[in-house]
Amino acid sequence: MKAVILAGGFGTRISEETGVRPKPMVEIGDKPILWHIMKIYSHYGINDFIICCGYKGYIIKEYFSNYFLHSSDVTFDMKNNNMKVHNMNSEPWNVTLVDTGENTMTGGRLKRVKDYIGDETFCLTYGDGVSDVNIDELIMFHKNHGKLATLTSVRQHGRFGVFTLHGGETQINYFKEKPKGDEDGTAWINGGFFVLEPGVMDYIDGDSTVFEKGPLEKLAEGGNLFAYKHDSFWQPMDTLRDKNVLEGLWEAGKAPWKVW
């Protein structure tokens, strides 16, 4: 199964870091948060990644191009223009980096990598959030309900798209992106970590489509959007404060998302 990661946004709310690099390349424990997300998926046997690049995407390409330099000992034979890698410490990853446009919206980015995904079930998540969600259970849940889309639902104060669930329900009948209010923080929100069928592409018009608006709203209205409830750790990195929280957990050896 492939995992698509949205890594093309401007990251304006953490401009202290994103002035010189894309947000997915902001480091937690000397590793880009993108690396942490990929390690989560890799732990569950998903090693085929499609990265949707945009703003300063060349930095992401350079990182993977020089991955051995970041993670292994190397010898440079300057006379013969050769490089030898020692104690190779690489990941079993196949990484496709796609320039999906600097101003393309989330839905448009997904549509642009359609040909790389193919006709199989795939995962999708944002390049700025980590979680200890069990990917195996998430995929099994998706396959069991048999519909087009599953998102991982989490709880946090009203900063993201919300929807309602009652009792033991998992089917989403109403979805609204970033509503005002919700001061008590009881609503379930979109935490990313989607599992999707290729049919979701039919809900995306083009580059200007925001995946969390038209497509998810229509999927919910048609009974094709389900929620995998995750009550454990989930943390986005929207602000410098969020980054410091994640950094503190990692440095203390208490990072819940480190499942590998």
Side-chain angles (χ1 to χ4, degrees), residues 66-206:
N66 297 310
Y67 193 83
F68 286 130
L69 297 180
H70 294 278
S71 58
S72 305
D73 298 330
V74 294
T75 294
F76 292 99
D77 182 347
M78 308 301 288
K79 180 179 179 180
N80 297 303
N81 193 29
N82 289 324
M83 180 182 77
K84 182 178 181 181
V85 179
H86 306 280
N87 303 319
M88 194 179 336
N89 183 26
S90 62
E91 308 291 344
W93 296 344
N94 183 64
V95 186
T96 301
L97 300 156
V98 184
D99 183 358
T100 57
E102 190 164 293
N103 297 301
T104 307
M105 297 293 103
T106 49
R109 294 191 191 282
L110 179 56
K111 188 90 167 186
R112 284 207 186 191
V113 300
K114 177 182 178 181
D115 291 342
Y116 294 97
I117 295 170
D119 297 323
E120 300 178 353
T121 306
F122 65 98
C123 295
L124 168 72
T125 198
Y126 305 107
D128 62 355
V130 289
S131 175
D132 60 356
V133 59
N134 187 308
I135 303 296
D136 283 344
E137 292 182 0
L138 169 63
I139 293 171
M140 185 179 299
F141 172 84
H142 174 80
K143 291 181 176 179
N144 285 340
H145 68 63
K147 299 297 183 178
L148 291 179
T150 299
L151 60 75
T152 296
S153 60
V154 296
R155 293 184 186 272
Q156 200 178 60
H157 291 286
R159 298 162 57 195
F160 304 91
V162 306
F163 46 90
T164 54
L165 292 174
H166 301 287
E169 288 182 353
T170 56
Q171 181 172 336
I172 301 170
N173 296 308
Y174 170 84
F175 184 96
K176 185 67 176 177
E177 174 67 358
K178 298 181 181 177
K180 296 180 180 178
D182 186 37
E183 287 81 1
D184 61 359
T186 59
W188 290 93
I189 65 172
N190 169 21
F193 292 93
F194 298 88
V195 183
L196 305 171
E197 298 299 324
V200 300
M201 298 294 182
D202 297 336
Y203 292 76
I204 302 171
D205 294 327

